[in-house]
Amino acid sequence: MIHFVILMSRQGKVRLAKWYSTYNMKERARVVKEITPMILARPLKLCNFLDWKNIKLVYKRYASLYFVCGVDVGDNELITLEIIHEFVEVLDRYFQNVCELDLIFNFHKAYYILDELLVAGELQEPSKKAIHKHIQDQDQLVENAKNGIGEEGQPR
Amino acid sequence: MQSKLEKVVAGLKTGPRFLKELREFDNLVKAIGECKSKAEEDRIITQELELLKQRLSDPKLDRSRGKEYMIRLIYCEMLGHDASFAYVKALQFASDPNIHTKKAAYLALTQFLDHNNQLVLLLVNTLLSDLKSDNYLIVCTALVAATKLIGADLVNAVYPVVVGRLRHPKEHVRKKAVLALHWFGQLDPRREGPLAGVELDKHFRTMLCDKDPSVMSAALCALHECIRSDPRPYKNLIPSFTSILKQVAEHRLPKSYDYHRFPAPFIQIKLLKILALLGSGDRAASENMAAVLLQALRRANSSHTIGSAIIYECVRTITTIYPNPQLLAAAAESISPFLLSPSHNLRYTGITALAGITALNPAAAAEHQVAVLDCLEDPDDTLKLKTLELLYKMTRASNIQVITDKMMGYLATCSDEHIRRDIVRKVSDLAERYAPSPAWFVSTLSEVFRLGGEHVDEGAAHRLVRLIAEQDAGLHGSAVEAYLGLLEAQGGEGAGAPSAAPKKKLPETILLVICWVLGEYGHLARRPPAAVLSRLLSILSSHKAATERVRGCLLTALTKLAAHTGGAAGPVGAALLQPHGSAGGGGGGPMGREAAELVHQCLNSQNLELQQRAHELTTLLSLPPPLLSSALPVDAACEEFSAAELAEVATLPFLDPLVTRALAAGAAPYLPPEARGAKTGEAQAKGLRFEAYEPAPYAVPLASSSTSYSAGVNDARLHLGSTSASTSTLAAAASSHTAAAATPAAGNQLQPQLVLKSGGPRKWGPAQYESEPPSQHTAGHSAGSSAAAAHGTAAAGAGPASSSAAGTTTQSGGGRHSRSGSGSAVVTAQNAERERLAASLFGTAGGTAAAAATRPSPAHRPQQQSQPSNGSANASQQQQQRGTAAAPSAMDLLMDLDVPQQQQQLTAAVGPASGSGR
């Protein structure tokens, strides 16, 4: 299973962190602190897997962002890479050509999307289209609710 | 950058409401973005948290801004600051009617809390009502929160509601309910805690038949977890899984499940994983799935990563289930593009898959030797490490030297603790299993100690010492020389040239081994004993912080060295016994002073053990020479007492005259404890009851045997001397034929337990397949079989092999060189080097290809191999086990080694002997 997903910038700043295994605050900070230099220091051409403690780190760089997953040692590394890629594709479609700033300012949206993709460290939705539909529904509903509450009488 | 700015500006323009709502958050993010230092960032966040604290505790809190506050809190927490003051507030916001705020609050809670947190209790009611909500989005949100927050103690509260959601009309809800149940199942995997009696898997089986593919895939996740803990109850699902896989692979799912034009690869891979678990070790099940596996493998192609992922998973499944030659061949074929790929990722997985195949079919690696060598020389550490793992799996007696060389080379450059420990373990394991000769074993292990001694467990050190003890004088001499060299390199030649860079200190374990070896066999050194003494003393000067354990061993080593080199009169003894403070008049010069200084220090040491050892040293060296030499015999470390001897010694015959004399003088006769107890019991029958006290355990045989040395040294020695003679001849005979197992089968009861085995497989540890003498000569592997015989054990033997291997190597090497594109002259040099390497790595592997392929049931191979040509392997295997069984007390044993039994017993004997005298 996936133990955690971390998005970090090239400067090592955390943009998004989701923990599926139990880590307390201190452990979370330590994990981030320890894996950041390992990943940032890796040259581009090398393979995207790293053994770290009893976890395998699978990471991929998209523009200025690193997507890092910590998975079980026995997991299929290639499929983890593809999960990352699927996440990026979904983000890309949602934000229309996603960039780091989208994720900085709308990081809660990124969390919602990730919740649609992964639950309890497992991939829950293999279909991009379904994720999209769900997120759109959600936005629609939020929009309706907000209009309903904020500006009375205006049906969206 | 410019484009990004434009985009933000555009975004801000189009969404004014968004801007208003999140202005403060935006400002925060911007301020953080502009921070130059971590301190500045911390300051801003602290300010922000203060502000939020104030706002949230304000009774006139603007609830419509709840979402924004939650998001700001998540942001602060994400940057590593504590926002625990707001947890309760987030719980309140979770019950907010506004879905907006509710979602943000749930998100915040899943980020902040986990299922061990007590606060979750407060959320249960909210969660339950949300799970029953009409709005399916709210139900989804609550289900996602449940997968993170519900712990074992709360499962029962939400379980019924979640099960009810399995029949929700929306597939999103059903899917999330399945995943929530999956999480609950993980909380209590054995179903004996809160979930006792609950039939989770029944639900999963039902959901597997859901009409929506994503619900089915969620059920697959859950079933995978169940099957992982116990595959047996799920064997009847194999037909369902295979038919699902077949349909998926045939593109029967809706187009929306395609991923880069591969049909639902994520579902395929999940299914493959499940099939691997179900088929492992089950012949019938494996045969049922073979056709589908082959189909899935054929349909995938490595044009895209996802295709490679499927192939990789197929190969992993094929190597996990009951071996099927046809599938294995297809798997081996399908990974060759991986190994030749320019992508490191693919090569990495290729090597991993190859390692799996090699375990079943040792010939597989030989076909890819060039690729494997490439990976081994790759600058990428992860890849290199994986390749070393592959090599570890394909090691056999013929290529052990090259492989350990490679591993050691990596060990020398690697700094990661975990990896180092792993490599050290592997090298010592391989060396024990396949060492071609004792001398090689000793030098290899010593090198391992030098490079990674901090990770060696003492058991390995103990086995090394034991092995050295068992060998003949020639090896003792070479071990002594090797260790002296090691100390020399370490000491930087005393006061001569202070080495440029301070060298790495030798770890404690190797120091102990060195002390023991130099003590026991230092007299065999090719230099005068005084030089050995100075080397030993240099341990102290180069390791200022040497522990007392090392010092203790050093003292004992000095004692033995002195005893073996002429006692008190010899150069070492004289140096050691110099009166303290004498102005260096004696034989030793400055070195002697140093030695005497050490002895003197230890005599007055606070540490009792050091003190005792120092006293032993002085006492022993003051004994008359014949007595000394029998107390510390030369080369007697691997003698063992036979049971008969022990029994004889335990009766303490040599005390008889003493006892008769005492009895004649009127002493009371000895009463055994039981008799004594009966007597006193009568007398005190109506007094206090003493039954509760068990009689103390008297006289452990070994300890009492020691008395022989105080009184009857000489005749006891005679016995031991004879056994020593017999064991040493056996040992000498054994070490003379190095390639075979070291112990002759006869008399192995008397033999010491650790026996160096070159061929004998172990019962425990990873299964490995021995290369047998090639019986069939396959065309494809001319290199292997012809080289195999000539090759034997020596690394130098790689020469002849390289020529015959050239054909295969250069031919397939073409691909690689076009990639590296270096000059041709360099290439040929490299080529030759690589060929040699390839030949020595794969030399014998190829020859077994045909034999291995024709073998009907690979799973039975381990048993077949346990009868290699050398008939004694079985015996030696047992011995090995006994040897390792003894290892747990390594700590004690290592200490004991330094005080050979005789000496220890001498001191122990003081008590009983004097006691009976009275």
Side-chain angles (χ1 to χ4, degrees):
Chain A
M1 71 175 270
I2 299 177
H3 297 283
F4 54 78
V5 178
I6 296 175
L7 265 66
M8 60 171 82
S9 70
R10 245 167 62 188
Q11 291 78 36
K13 280 197 175 160
V14 177
R15 296 296 184 211
L16 183 149
K18 189 89 189 168
W19 308 86
Y20 294 105
S21 296
T22 311
Y23 290 89
N24 64 28
M25 273 315 268
K26 219 185 242 166
E27 289 164 341
R28 290 181 185 188
R30 210 184 51 232
V31 170
V32 171
K33 201 173 146 198
E34 285 184 26
I35 65 171
T36 310
M38 286 173 68
I39 287 171
L40 296 185
R42 266 180 88 76
L44 267 179
K45 277 171 81 183
L46 302 191
C47 72
N48 300 31
F49 320 123
L50 272 173
D51 290 310
W52 177 71
K53 301 206 171 159
N54 49 354
I55 276 179
K56 190 174 309 186
L57 300 174
V58 178
Y59 70 93
K60 184 142 196 198
R61 188 177 149 183
Y62 288 92
S64 56
L65 267 186
Y66 283 91
F67 291 67
V68 187
C69 284
V71 297
D72 282 331
V73 176
D75 273 11
N76 186 333
E77 301 87 0
L78 293 178
I79 205 71
T80 313
L81 270 186
E82 287 312 298
I83 291 176
I84 293 177
H85 190 70
E86 183 166 353
F87 181 40
V88 174
E89 281 186 7
V90 176
L91 286 175
D92 200 49
R93 187 153 152 202
Y94 180 78
F95 288 106
Q96 268 124 44
N97 203 359
V98 66
C99 74
E100 195 181 340
L101 281 173
D102 290 326
L103 295 185
I104 298 175
F105 286 102
N106 291 309
F107 75 103
H108 57 288
K109 294 264 172 61
Y111 274 117
Y112 292 154
I113 294 176
L114 190 58
D115 274 347
E116 290 309 312
L117 191 71
L118 297 171
V119 170
E122 302 281 354
L123 184 84
Q124 60 148 329
E125 181 54 79
S127 154
K128 277 179 283 186
K129 210 167 148 194
I131 296 176
H132 265 293
K133 182 155 177 319
H134 189 72
I135 296 277
Q136 300 272 310
D137 282 1
Q138 207 163 294
D139 278 359
Q140 194 60 50
L141 198 92
V142 165
E143 201 72 6
N144 289 347
K146 202 162 54 187
N147 292 343
I149 288 165
E151 298 149 52
E152 212 70 44
Q154 276 183 27
R156 109 174 182 88
Chain B
M1 194 65 213
Q2 189 63 36
S3 65
K4 282 179 193 170
L5 276 178
E6 278 165 14
K7 193 172 166 183
V8 171
V9 171
L12 294 184
K13 275 181 194 154
T14 53
R17 189 163 48 230
F18 170 79
L19 181 69
K20 187 180 85 196
E21 191 175 81
L22 289 178
R23 183 176 295 142
E24 282 187 41
F25 172 64
D26 283 355
N27 289 341
L28 171 67
V29 172
K30 271 183 205 139
I32 296 288
E34 283 156 13
C35 275
K36 299 249 171 358
S37 68
K38 181 85 180 120
E40 199 179 342
E41 184 187 304
D42 286 350
R43 192 175 50 75
I44 295 177
I45 295 286
T46 323
Q47 264 179 15
E48 172 74 11
L49 283 173
E50 278 304 314
L51 180 75
L52 284 171
K53 209 181 213 165
Q54 209 183 336
R55 292 266 182 87
L56 288 174
S57 57
D58 188 352
K60 292 190 301 248
L61 172 68
D62 179 8
R63 291 191 75 85
S64 63
R65 294 183 68 188
K67 178 192 173 193
E68 188 199 339
Y69 291 136
M70 287 300 116
I71 289 172
R72 278 155 75 176
L73 281 171
I74 299 172
Y75 192 78
C76 294
E77 184 115 342
M78 193 170 75
L79 291 178
H81 290 257
D82 180 47
S84 50
F85 64 88
Y87 293 174
V88 178
K89 214 70 200 168
L91 286 168
Q92 287 174 8
F93 278 124
S95 52
D96 198 285
N98 186 352
I99 185 178
H100 217 65
T101 315
K102 189 186 276 290
K103 271 191 77 90
Y106 270 122
L107 177 60
L109 286 171
T110 51
Q111 289 297 108
F112 296 159
L113 308 179
D114 60 52
H115 59 97
N116 297 323
N117 201 304
Q118 297 292 320
L119 284 175
V120 178
L121 199 61
L122 300 175
L123 186 71
V124 173
N125 268 331
T126 317
L127 200 63
L128 280 175
S129 65
D130 284 344
L131 284 174
K132 292 173 191 151
S133 163
D134 293 337
N135 187 332
Y136 89 95
L137 287 172
I138 294 184
V139 181
C140 285
T141 315
L143 283 171
V144 170
T147 61
K148 174 79 184 165
L149 298 177
I150 296 299
D153 43 347
L154 292 175
V155 166
N156 284 323
V158 283
Y159 177 76
V161 189
V162 175
V163 170
R165 298 294 98 173
L166 286 176
R167 289 186 299 278
H168 199 278
K170 281 272 183 193
E171 66 276 5
H172 268 309
V173 177
R174 295 201 300 270
K175 175 182 74 186
K176 293 214 157 125
V178 171
L179 285 166
L181 287 182
H182 162 48
W183 164 258
F184 296 162
Q186 279 176 317
L187 289 175
D188 184 14
R190 299 189 170 278
R191 310 277 188 273
E192 49 201 20
L195 287 176
V198 164
E199 292 185 315
L200 268 183
D201 53 323
K202 203 183 79 193
H203 295 303
F204 295 147
R205 284 172 196 239
T206 320
M207 298 317 280
L208 191 61
C209 309
D210 196 281
K211 62 180 189 297
D212 188 83
S214 45
V215 182
M216 181 203 53
S217 100
L220 285 178
C221 283
L223 282 171
H224 179 232
E225 199 63 42
C226 296
I227 293 170
R228 184 159 23 184
S229 56
D230 181 15
R232 276 165 301 166
Y234 301 93
K235 298 277 186 195
N236 57 352
L237 283 178
I238 294 178
S240 323
F241 290 135
T242 45
S243 81
I244 298 175
L245 182 57
K246 190 163 187 291
Q247 290 176 29
V248 172
E250 283 170 1
H251 233 129
R252 302 269 190 83
L253 286 186
K255 273 268 183 267
S256 68
Y257 287 90
D258 279 12
Y259 181 87
H260 291 264
R261 276 185 273 161
F262 282 89
F266 297 103
I267 296 179
Q268 283 195 46
I269 282 169
K270 208 70 196 174
L271 281 165
L272 287 169
K273 280 183 179 169
I274 291 176
L275 289 180
L277 288 175
L278 286 173
S280 110
D282 185 338
R283 187 166 191 169
S286 306
E287 278 167 7
N288 285 339
M289 58 185 76
V292 180
L293 288 179
L294 197 60
Q295 188 196 22
L297 185 63
R298 295 258 186 261
R299 278 186 176 259
N301 59 58
S302 51
S303 59
H304 187 267
T305 323
I306 194 71
S308 314
I310 297 176
I311 294 177
Y312 176 48
E313 198 60 54
C314 279
V315 172
R316 293 212 308 183
T317 306
I318 288 168
T319 51
T320 320
I321 63 173
Y322 192 87
N324 174 331
Q326 193 200 354
L327 284 181
L328 276 176
E333 189 189 321
S334 62
I335 57 163
S336 19
F338 283 40
L339 289 165
L340 299 174
S341 151
S343 151
H344 278 79
N345 291 342
L346 289 187
R347 279 157 75 191
Y348 177 91
T349 43
I351 290 280
T352 320
L354 187 59
I357 296 177
T358 310
L360 297 173
N361 177 8
E367 291 168 27
H368 301 290
Q369 40 182 290
V370 180
V372 171
L373 288 181
D374 268 347
C375 294
L376 201 58
E377 286 158 15
D378 201 90
D380 188 341
D381 269 1
T382 320
L383 188 56
K384 211 189 272 184
L385 210 60
K386 207 71 203 176
T387 317
L388 285 180
E389 219 172 293
L390 169 70
L391 292 186
Y392 173 68
K393 288 198 176 136
M394 53 180 256
T395 306
R396 57 210 77 245
S398 55
N399 53 17
I400 166 87
Q401 295 178 338
V402 193
I403 287 176
T404 41
D405 279 356
K406 285 282 164 197
M407 287 189 171
M408 233 93 96
Y410 188 76
L411 186 63
T413 58
C414 167
S415 61
D416 184 283
E417 289 294 301
H418 287 265
I419 298 173
R420 286 173 65 91
R421 181 167 301 125
D422 190 48
I423 296 185
V424 165
R425 188 184 59 75
K426 281 178 181 158
V427 175
S428 37
D429 179 48
L430 287 179
E432 277 170 31
R433 267 201 269 174
Y434 297 111
S437 71
W440 182 88
F441 181 76
V442 170
S443 68
T444 307
L445 266 207
S446 306
E447 183 69 6
V448 172
F449 280 105
R450 190 175 69 75
L451 290 172
E454 67 272 22
H455 301 303
V456 182
D457 60 338
E458 298 212 342
H462 181 61
R463 290 195 285 277
L464 171 65
V465 163
R466 186 156 198 149
L467 186 107
I468 295 178
E470 284 161 13
Q471 306 304 328
D472 62 345
L475 184 104
H476 292 159
S478 66
V480 166
E481 289 302 325
Y483 288 135
L484 283 175
L486 203 57
L487 285 181
E488 225 152 76
Q490 183 67 25
E493 204 46 59
S499 45
K503 288 215 183 79
K504 210 177 120 202
K505 296 251 183 287
L506 290 175
E508 181 176 309
T509 346
I510 183 78
L511 284 182
L512 294 178
V513 174
I514 292 180
C515 282
W516 186 85
V517 170
L518 291 189
E520 196 73 16
Y521 306 111
H523 58 282
L524 297 172
R526 283 194 292 275
R527 53 185 96 187
V532 178
L533 173 67
S534 79
R535 282 288 149 253
L536 272 174
L537 288 174
S538 75
I539 292 182
L540 281 185
S541 57
S542 59
H543 296 76
K544 291 279 188 302
T547 57
E548 284 173 338
R549 238 178 114 192
V550 175
R551 282 167 192 267
C553 295
L554 183 62
L555 270 182
T556 318
L558 293 178
T559 317
K560 286 188 279 190
L561 186 62
H564 298 160
T565 54
V572 178
L576 286 172
L577 290 182
Q578 245 175 56
H580 180 57
S582 77
M591 192 49 70
R593 263 207 307 286
E594 211 177 300
E597 183 72 26
L598 170 72
V599 174
H600 190 76
Q601 250 179 28
C602 293
L603 275 176
N604 299 326
S605 165
Q606 296 253 323
N607 183 315
L608 279 181
E609 179 166 340
L610 279 188
Q611 216 182 66
Q612 181 178 351
R613 288 193 189 213
H615 278 291
E616 282 165 8
L617 183 149
T618 44
T619 320
L620 278 171
L621 290 189
S622 61
L623 291 175
L627 198 56
L628 175 63
S629 66
S630 48
L632 292 175
V634 172
D635 191 11
C638 59
E639 290 164 8
E640 289 187 19
F641 295 100
S642 72
E645 279 168 344
L646 282 178
E648 190 189 320
V649 174
T651 58
L652 313 179
F654 52 88
L655 284 179
D656 287 350
L658 195 73
V659 174
T660 12
R661 231 181 302 135
L663 282 176
Y670 174 76
L671 272 179
E674 311 84 59
R676 232 180 296 162
K679 209 172 158 192
T680 50
E682 256 172 58
Q684 299 184 338
K686 56 187 193 314
L688 291 166
R689 295 164 59 84
F690 287 97
E691 279 118 39
Y693 296 105
E694 291 294 317
Y698 284 89
V700 183
L702 194 73
S704 59
S705 75
S706 59
T707 23
S708 61
Y709 293 106
S710 56
V713 177
N714 286 329
D715 57 349
R717 233 1 288 154
L718 280 177
H719 283 290
L720 293 176
S722 62
T723 46
S724 139
S726 64
T727 39
S728 62
T729 43
L730 277 178
S735 58
S736 63
H737 63 102
T738 50
T743 345
N748 56 30
Q749 288 307 316
L750 280 176
Q751 283 293 304
Q753 288 169 355
L754 182 116
V755 173
L756 190 72
K757 310 169 300 153
S758 37
R762 267 184 171 183
K763 189 156 183 190
W764 306 112
Q768 19 89 22
Y769 298 88
E770 197 54 31
S771 69
E772 291 161 2
S775 50
Q776 284 162 287
H777 195 96
T778 37
H781 301 289
S782 61
S785 42
S786 62
H791 211 215
T793 56
S802 69
S803 58
S804 53
T808 44
T809 328
T810 43
Q811 185 190 1
S812 44
R816 180 246 172 199
H817 289 132
S818 62
R819 190 157 65 234
S820 66
S822 46
S824 64
V826 187
V827 168
T828 35
Q830 278 180 350
N831 251 352
E833 176 64 27
R834 288 167 56 86
E835 273 157 26
R836 221 178 4 259
L837 188 58
S840 42
L841 272 179
F842 301 97
T844 54
T848 58
T854 52
R855 244 167 312 132
S857 58
H860 294 304
R861 272 183 224 165
Q863 284 100 312
Q864 292 177 357
Q865 294 163 7
S866 58
Q867 303 111 353
S869 53
N870 186 330
S872 73
N874 272 332
S876 60
Q877 183 182 345
Q878 286 163 8
Q879 285 181 343
Q880 170 75 28
Q881 278 167 19
R882 253 185 290 143
T884 45
S889 58
M891 190 87 83
D892 301 331
L893 291 167
L894 199 66
M895 294 305 289
D896 285 352
L897 283 172
D898 305 291
V899 190
Q901 283 168 356
Q902 299 90 328
Q903 192 193 336
Q904 194 189 30
Q905 289 150 3
L906 180 65
T907 55
V910 176
S914 60
S916 58
R918 256 186 273 131

